[in-house]
Amino acid sequence: MKIRNLNELNITGKKVLIRCDLNVPIKDGIIQSDARILASLPTIKYALQKKAKVIIMSHLGRPKEGIYEKKYSLLPIFEYFKKIFHYTKIYFCHDYSNINEINSGEILILENVRFNLGELKNNKKLSKKYSELCDIFVMDAFGSSHRKQASTYGVGKFSNIACAGFLLISEITNLKKILKNPKRPMVAIVGGAKVSTKFNILNKLVNIADFVIVGGGIANTFLAIDYNIGKSLYEPEYISEAKKLLKKNNNLLIPIDSRVGRNFSCSEKDIVKIPSDINKNEEIMDFGDKTIKKFVNVIKKSNTIIWNGPVGVFEFPNFRKGTESIAKAIANNPGFSIAGGGDTLSVIDMFCIKNKISYISTGGGAFLEFIEGKKLPAIQMLEENLKINI
């Protein structure tokens, strides 16, 4: 895989369009977590230092394409950027097709790309218009690199020069480190609601990791192979496939007890039960104490850790013990740990362990697809652009 790196180019005085991943949680106009913004800053700051004319584009949430919705506007991010880059001029543009010229060392932030018709379907006309905004296109949104869309893929196909930003390079480097000769034992922790979306990654992980721990709704589908798990979240149509995977791989670890409740509520009290004792009116919402002890011991003995997703309803105080225990065990492990996924980032923030994780990926789907061994469209585009414009 050979792609251009931003620092290989002369960008002084050039119009540089950077596709960032500024898809951060915003509530009532206030940014709840700035992790992805902070991860984007090295590339932006470098472009400013080199006196480039910096144009930033990103998506935010999932608005209906072509329709403006205030709650999905990048204006709160613009206000955040004004505080960070108080030493330079920074502008906001509501309409990408009518932008004002900026000077070297200044920033222009474009409105949410998903307000533009054709973004999601990688419309050629839109992609070409994006490319006409710049001299150099910089792909730095790893979290969206698995999407073949106008702002992540199409724009690079029409740009004379396309390169990777520092975040994208860092993501690729660290994910390769996990996949190539990892220090063993290696454990992977995979949480989330649906096993149907995780079979590919689980099939990959059981072959490269010494242990694979599953939690959340994913684990429930495995438990449902042998037990009636009440009204717990699981996918009955995938029990057969889950059974095959579990039977074939003795390194796939599932819970031996669970925290259950009768109501999906923040105030619900937790009861620890083994799977065979779960009643019809109860649902699994977290690991039980024996499971926590078992899995924490596995993590303690590991030298390489991959973590994607919480293992329970960590938003509820009585059902976050499993996720908290797993998170802190990872944080206290002196080996190499890599974590990725939106909910994972929220857990890291909640338990203040950011500085104790070796590498935090900004990707969710892209993180998993890269580990699966899939060729991400944005990386493929960068490879092709280099070949054409070498």
Side-chain angles (χ1 to χ4, degrees):
M1 181 189 350
K2 189 163 177 61
I3 59 179
R4 278 191 198 86
N5 191 327
L6 175 62
N7 62 14
E8 298 170 357
L9 301 171
N10 177 12
I11 63 173
T12 302
K14 303 285 179 66
K15 288 184 288 184
V16 176
L17 176 62
I18 307 174
R19 176 46 161 105
C20 297
D21 182 5
L22 307 176
N23 183 32
V24 297
I26 297 175
K27 186 177 180 181
D28 299 325
I30 300 171
I31 295 170
Q32 303 298 300
S33 170
D34 61 358
R36 284 188 173 132
I37 299 176
L38 295 176
S40 299
L41 293 184
T43 296
I44 298 168
K45 287 181 177 178
Y46 176 83
L48 289 175
Q49 288 166 4
K50 293 297 180 178
K51 299 298 180 184
K53 299 173 182 178
V54 182
I55 305 169
I56 297 171
M57 66 193 315
S58 176
H59 78 283
L60 178 65
R62 297 185 178 182
K64 188 172 181 180
E65 194 177 271
I67 298 175
Y68 172 85
E69 289 184 70
K70 186 179 179 181
K71 67 177 179 178
Y72 295 119
S73 174
L74 290 184
L75 271 170
I77 292 167
F78 167 63
E79 295 298 331
Y80 180 102
F81 268 57
K82 282 200 296 186
K83 294 175 184 176
I84 294 177
F85 299 104
H86 56 86
Y87 52 84
T88 190
K89 289 184 178 179
I90 180 166
Y91 309 91
F92 188 79
C93 181
H94 293 275
D95 182 4
Y96 75 94
S97 65
N98 184 28
I99 70 172
N100 295 320
E101 282 293 321
I102 59 173
N103 297 315
S104 296
E106 295 181 348
I107 302 174
L108 175 66
I109 298 179
L110 303 180
E111 182 56 284
N112 191 341
V113 293
R114 289 190 177 171
F115 290 163
N116 304 328
L117 282 172
E119 166 64 21
L120 299 179
K121 292 186 178 180
N122 188 36
N123 179 271
K124 286 185 178 180
K125 187 176 179 182
L126 179 61
S127 298
K128 192 172 183 181
K129 284 183 177 178
Y130 285 157
S131 71
E132 290 169 354
L133 298 176
C134 65
D135 301 307
I136 298 168
F137 171 65
V138 183
M139 179 57 186
D140 208 32
F142 176 74
S144 299
S145 61
H146 61 310
R147 304 186 191 282
K148 202 170 185 178
Q149 298 175 351
S151 69
T152 59
Y153 179 84
V155 56
K157 301 290 283 185
F158 289 101
S159 296
N160 289 328
I161 300 175
C163 67
F166 300 148
L167 173 59
L168 185 60
I169 293 293
S170 177
E171 294 274 9
I172 293 169
T173 302
N174 281 281
L175 286 171
K176 279 185 174 180
K177 184 177 179 180
I178 277 279
L179 299 175
K180 189 177 181 180
N181 299 321
K183 287 187 178 180
R184 297 193 179 275
M186 175 180 177
V187 63
I189 301 101
V190 183
K194 295 183 177 180
V195 73
S196 57
T197 62
K198 300 288 177 75
F199 274 121
N200 288 340
I201 187 65
L202 289 175
N203 274 299
K204 175 74 174 182
L205 288 173
V206 291
N207 287 317
I208 66 171
D210 297 285
F211 300 101
V212 179
I213 293 169
V214 291
I218 294 173
N220 293 348
T221 300
F222 286 100
L223 289 172
I225 296 169
D226 296 312
Y227 304 102
N228 182 335
I229 55 171
K231 57 180 184 178
S232 304
L233 173 68
Y234 76 107
E235 295 176 280
E237 65 272 32
Y238 289 98
I239 287 178
S240 177
E241 197 170 343
K243 187 175 182 179
K244 290 176 186 175
L245 184 63
L246 188 62
K247 187 176 181 181
K248 193 168 64 173
N249 301 282
N250 59 9
N251 62 337
L252 182 62
L253 308 180
I254 65 173
I256 52 177
D257 64 346
S258 305
R259 275 185 163 70
V260 304
R262 294 181 180 179
N263 300 295
F264 192 79
S265 166
C266 187
S267 59
E268 182 69 7
K269 290 184 178 180
D270 63 307
I271 307 169
V272 177
K273 289 192 171 186
I274 58 174
S276 58
D277 288 348
I278 296 172
N279 296 322
K280 289 182 179 180
N281 64 341
E282 294 174 330
E283 61 181 309
I284 298 169
M285 290 193 276
D286 191 14
F287 286 161
D289 294 331
K290 289 181 180 178
T291 298
I292 291 171
K293 185 178 180 180
K294 177 183 177 182
F295 291 171
V296 164
N297 282 334
V298 171
I299 293 167
K300 281 181 179 178
K301 295 174 184 176
S302 299
N303 286 312
T304 303
I305 303 166
I306 300 175
W307 176 27
N308 177 261
V311 298
V313 188
F314 70 97
E315 298 91 344
F316 296 169
N318 293 332
F319 296 96
R320 70 170 56 133
K321 187 176 180 180
T323 297
E324 182 175 8
S325 299
I326 294 294
K328 289 184 176 178
I330 295 169
N332 293 329
N333 186 297
F336 183 80
S337 55
I338 187 165
D343 284 339
T344 314
L345 300 183
S346 298
V347 172
I348 289 169
D349 284 343
M350 176 178 281
F351 300 123
C352 303
I353 57 172
K354 182 178 179 180
N355 296 329
K356 293 187 175 182
I357 306 296
S358 305
Y359 187 77
I360 299 172
S361 174
T362 56
F367 172 81
L368 294 175
E369 288 189 21
F370 193 99
I371 292 173
E372 283 175 39
K374 290 183 178 179
K375 175 74 77 173
L376 303 184
I379 295 174
Q380 182 183 352
M381 172 271 293
L382 292 172
E383 290 175 336
E384 292 171 356
N385 184 275
L386 177 61
K387 288 178 184 177
I388 295 169
N389 301 299
I390 198 163

Short mmCIF file of all heavy atoms in Angstrom, two decimals, residues 351-382:
data_model
loop_
_atom_site.label_atom_id
_atom_site.label_comp_id
_atom_site.label_asym_id
_atom_site.label_seq_id
_atom_site.Cartn_x
_atom_site.Cartn_y
_atom_site.Cartn_z
N PHE A 351 -14.76 7.00 32.03
CA PHE A 351 -13.90 6.47 33.09
C PHE A 351 -12.51 7.11 33.11
O PHE A 351 -11.61 6.64 33.82
CB PHE A 351 -13.80 4.94 32.97
CG PHE A 351 -15.14 4.25 33.08
CD1 PHE A 351 -15.60 3.43 32.06
CD2 PHE A 351 -15.95 4.47 34.18
CE1 PHE A 351 -16.84 2.81 32.15
CE2 PHE A 351 -17.19 3.85 34.29
CZ PHE A 351 -17.64 3.02 33.27
N CYS A 352 -12.35 8.17 32.32
CA CYS A 352 -11.12 8.98 32.33
C CYS A 352 -9.85 8.14 32.14
O CYS A 352 -8.89 8.24 32.92
CB CYS A 352 -11.01 9.77 33.63
SG CYS A 352 -12.43 10.84 33.96
N ILE A 353 -9.86 7.30 31.10
CA ILE A 353 -8.71 6.41 30.88
C ILE A 353 -8.02 6.69 29.54
O ILE A 353 -7.24 5.88 29.05
CB ILE A 353 -9.13 4.93 30.95
CG1 ILE A 353 -10.25 4.63 29.93
CG2 ILE A 353 -9.56 4.55 32.36
CD1 ILE A 353 -10.59 3.16 29.81
N LYS A 354 -8.31 7.84 28.96
CA LYS A 354 -7.77 8.18 27.64
C LYS A 354 -6.25 8.03 27.57
O LYS A 354 -5.71 7.50 26.60
CB LYS A 354 -8.17 9.62 27.28
CG LYS A 354 -7.72 10.07 25.91
CD LYS A 354 -8.20 11.48 25.62
CE LYS A 354 -7.73 11.96 24.27
NZ LYS A 354 -8.20 13.35 23.97
N ASN A 355 -5.57 8.49 28.58
CA ASN A 355 -4.11 8.47 28.58
C ASN A 355 -3.52 7.10 28.90
O ASN A 355 -2.30 6.92 28.88
CB ASN A 355 -3.55 9.50 29.57
CG ASN A 355 -3.90 10.92 29.16
OD1 ASN A 355 -4.03 11.23 27.98
ND2 ASN A 355 -4.09 11.78 30.14
N LYS A 356 -4.39 6.13 29.16
CA LYS A 356 -3.90 4.79 29.50
C LYS A 356 -4.16 3.76 28.39
O LYS A 356 -3.85 2.58 28.56
CB LYS A 356 -4.55 4.32 30.82
CG LYS A 356 -4.10 5.13 32.03
CD LYS A 356 -4.62 4.51 33.31
CE LYS A 356 -4.07 5.25 34.52
NZ LYS A 356 -4.54 4.63 35.79
N ILE A 357 -4.72 4.23 27.29
CA ILE A 357 -4.91 3.36 26.13
C ILE A 357 -3.81 3.69 25.13
O ILE A 357 -3.57 4.86 24.83
CB ILE A 357 -6.30 3.59 25.47
CG1 ILE A 357 -7.44 3.45 26.50
CG2 ILE A 357 -6.50 2.62 24.30
CD1 ILE A 357 -7.59 2.08 27.10
N SER A 358 -3.11 2.67 24.63
CA SER A 358 -1.97 2.92 23.76
C SER A 358 -2.36 3.71 22.51
O SER A 358 -1.68 4.66 22.13
CB SER A 358 -1.32 1.60 23.34
OG SER A 358 -0.98 0.82 24.46
N TYR A 359 -3.46 3.30 21.88
CA TYR A 359 -3.92 4.04 20.70
C TYR A 359 -5.44 3.99 20.63
O TYR A 359 -6.04 2.92 20.75
CB TYR A 359 -3.34 3.46 19.41
CG TYR A 359 -3.69 4.32 18.20
CD1 TYR A 359 -3.00 5.51 17.97
CD2 TYR A 359 -4.73 3.97 17.35
CE1 TYR A 359 -3.34 6.33 16.90
CE2 TYR A 359 -5.07 4.78 16.28
CZ TYR A 359 -4.37 5.95 16.05
OH TYR A 359 -4.71 6.78 15.01
N ILE A 360 -6.05 5.16 20.45
CA ILE A 360 -7.50 5.24 20.33
C ILE A 360 -7.84 5.58 18.89
O ILE A 360 -7.51 6.65 18.39
CB ILE A 360 -8.08 6.30 21.28
CG1 ILE A 360 -7.75 5.94 22.74
CG2 ILE A 360 -9.59 6.43 21.09
CD1 ILE A 360 -8.12 7.02 23.74
N SER A 361 -8.50 4.65 18.21
CA SER A 361 -8.88 4.85 16.82
C SER A 361 -10.14 5.70 16.75
O SER A 361 -11.03 5.59 17.60
CB SER A 361 -9.13 3.51 16.14
OG SER A 361 -9.63 3.69 14.83
N THR A 362 -10.21 6.56 15.75
CA THR A 362 -11.40 7.39 15.55
C THR A 362 -12.47 6.66 14.74
O THR A 362 -13.55 7.18 14.53
CB THR A 362 -11.03 8.70 14.82
OG1 THR A 362 -10.38 8.37 13.59
CG2 THR A 362 -10.12 9.56 15.67
N GLY A 363 -12.14 5.47 14.29
CA GLY A 363 -13.07 4.73 13.44
C GLY A 363 -13.91 3.72 14.19
O GLY A 363 -13.51 3.22 15.24
N GLY A 364 -15.07 3.42 13.65
CA GLY A 364 -15.94 2.36 14.15
C GLY A 364 -15.98 1.29 13.08
O GLY A 364 -15.28 0.29 13.14
N GLY A 365 -16.81 1.54 12.05
CA GLY A 365 -16.91 0.61 10.93
C GLY A 365 -15.59 0.46 10.20
O GLY A 365 -15.19 -0.65 9.82
N ALA A 366 -14.88 1.58 9.99
CA ALA A 366 -13.59 1.54 9.29
C ALA A 366 -12.57 0.75 10.10
O ALA A 366 -11.77 -0.01 9.54
CB ALA A 366 -13.09 2.97 9.05
N PHE A 367 -12.59 0.92 11.40
CA PHE A 367 -11.71 0.20 12.33
C PHE A 367 -11.90 -1.31 12.15
O PHE A 367 -10.94 -2.07 11.98
CB PHE A 367 -12.06 0.65 13.75
CG PHE A 367 -11.39 -0.11 14.87
CD1 PHE A 367 -10.09 0.20 15.24
CD2 PHE A 367 -12.09 -1.07 15.57
CE1 PHE A 367 -9.48 -0.48 16.30
CE2 PHE A 367 -11.49 -1.75 16.63
CZ PHE A 367 -10.18 -1.45 16.99
N LEU A 368 -13.15 -1.75 12.15
CA LEU A 368 -13.45 -3.17 12.04
C LEU A 368 -13.13 -3.71 10.65
O LEU A 368 -12.58 -4.81 10.52
CB LEU A 368 -14.93 -3.42 12.38
CG LEU A 368 -15.34 -3.13 13.83
CD1 LEU A 368 -16.84 -3.30 14.01
CD2 LEU A 368 -14.57 -4.01 14.80
N GLU A 369 -13.47 -2.95 9.62
CA GLU A 369 -13.22 -3.41 8.25
C GLU A 369 -11.73 -3.52 7.96
O GLU A 369 -11.29 -4.42 7.24
CB GLU A 369 -13.92 -2.51 7.24
CG GLU A 369 -15.44 -2.69 7.23
CD GLU A 369 -16.14 -1.96 6.10
OE1 GLU A 369 -15.47 -1.65 5.08
OE2 GLU A 369 -17.35 -1.72 6.22
N PHE A 370 -10.94 -2.61 8.49
CA PHE A 370 -9.50 -2.68 8.30
C PHE A 370 -8.95 -3.95 8.95
O PHE A 370 -8.13 -4.66 8.35
CB PHE A 370 -8.81 -1.45 8.90
CG PHE A 370 -7.37 -1.30 8.48
CD1 PHE A 370 -7.02 -0.43 7.46
CD2 PHE A 370 -6.36 -2.02 9.11
CE1 PHE A 370 -5.68 -0.29 7.07
CE2 PHE A 370 -5.03 -1.90 8.73
CZ PHE A 370 -4.69 -1.03 7.70
N ILE A 371 -9.40 -4.25 10.18
CA ILE A 371 -8.95 -5.46 10.87
C ILE A 371 -9.40 -6.71 10.12
O ILE A 371 -8.67 -7.71 10.06
CB ILE A 371 -9.46 -5.47 12.33
CG1 ILE A 371 -8.78 -4.36 13.13
CG2 ILE A 371 -9.20 -6.82 13.00
CD1 ILE A 371 -9.32 -4.16 14.52
N GLU A 372 -10.59 -6.65 9.51
CA GLU A 372 -11.07 -7.78 8.71
C GLU A 372 -10.19 -8.04 7.50
O GLU A 372 -10.20 -9.12 6.92
CB GLU A 372 -12.50 -7.49 8.21
CG GLU A 372 -13.58 -7.67 9.24
CD GLU A 372 -14.95 -7.25 8.70
OE1 GLU A 372 -15.22 -7.53 7.51
OE2 GLU A 372 -15.71 -6.63 9.45
N GLY A 373 -9.42 -7.02 7.09
CA GLY A 373 -8.57 -7.17 5.92
C GLY A 373 -9.17 -6.59 4.66
O GLY A 373 -8.65 -6.80 3.55
N LYS A 374 -10.26 -5.84 4.80
CA LYS A 374 -10.90 -5.24 3.64
C LYS A 374 -10.10 -4.03 3.16
O LYS A 374 -9.47 -3.33 3.94
CB LYS A 374 -12.33 -4.79 3.97
CG LYS A 374 -13.30 -5.93 4.19
CD LYS A 374 -14.70 -5.39 4.45
CE LYS A 374 -15.70 -6.53 4.63
NZ LYS A 374 -17.07 -6.01 4.90
N LYS A 375 -10.14 -3.78 1.86
CA LYS A 375 -9.52 -2.59 1.29
C LYS A 375 -10.50 -1.44 1.42
O LYS A 375 -11.58 -1.46 0.85
CB LYS A 375 -9.19 -2.83 -0.19
CG LYS A 375 -8.64 -1.61 -0.91
CD LYS A 375 -7.21 -1.30 -0.54
CE LYS A 375 -6.24 -2.23 -1.22
NZ LYS A 375 -4.82 -1.83 -1.00
N LEU A 376 -10.13 -0.43 2.20
CA LEU A 376 -11.02 0.70 2.41
C LEU A 376 -11.03 1.59 1.17
O LEU A 376 -9.97 1.93 0.64
CB LEU A 376 -10.58 1.50 3.64
CG LEU A 376 -10.48 0.71 4.96
CD1 LEU A 376 -10.13 1.65 6.10
CD2 LEU A 376 -11.77 -0.02 5.25
N PRO A 377 -12.22 2.00 0.69
CA PRO A 377 -12.32 2.80 -0.53
C PRO A 377 -11.45 4.05 -0.57
O PRO A 377 -10.82 4.35 -1.58
CB PRO A 377 -13.81 3.17 -0.58
CG PRO A 377 -14.49 2.06 0.12
CD PRO A 377 -13.55 1.66 1.22
N ALA A 378 -11.37 4.78 0.55
CA ALA A 378 -10.57 6.01 0.57
C ALA A 378 -9.09 5.72 0.38
O ALA A 378 -8.38 6.46 -0.30
CB ALA A 378 -10.79 6.75 1.89
N ILE A 379 -8.62 4.62 0.96
CA ILE A 379 -7.21 4.24 0.80
C ILE A 379 -6.95 3.78 -0.63
O ILE A 379 -5.92 4.12 -1.23
CB ILE A 379 -6.83 3.15 1.83
CG1 ILE A 379 -6.94 3.72 3.24
CG2 ILE A 379 -5.43 2.62 1.55
CD1 ILE A 379 -6.73 2.71 4.35
N GLN A 380 -7.89 3.05 -1.19
CA GLN A 380 -7.78 2.63 -2.59
C GLN A 380 -7.71 3.85 -3.51
O GLN A 380 -6.90 3.90 -4.45
CB GLN A 380 -8.99 1.77 -2.96
CG GLN A 380 -8.96 1.24 -4.39
CD GLN A 380 -10.21 0.45 -4.74
OE1 GLN A 380 -11.04 0.16 -3.88
NE2 GLN A 380 -10.34 0.09 -5.99
N MET A 381 -8.53 4.85 -3.23
CA MET A 381 -8.53 6.09 -4.03
C MET A 381 -7.17 6.78 -3.96
O MET A 381 -6.64 7.25 -4.98
CB MET A 381 -9.63 7.02 -3.51
CG MET A 381 -9.65 8.42 -4.11
SD MET A 381 -8.59 9.59 -3.17
CE MET A 381 -9.48 9.70 -1.63
N LEU A 382 -6.57 6.84 -2.77
CA LEU A 382 -5.27 7.48 -2.60
C LEU A 382 -4.17 6.73 -3.34
O LEU A 382 -3.26 7.34 -3.92
CB LEU A 382 -4.93 7.59 -1.11
CG LEU A 382 -5.80 8.57 -0.30
CD1 LEU A 382 -5.48 8.44 1.18
CD2 LEU A 382 -5.60 10.01 -0.76
#
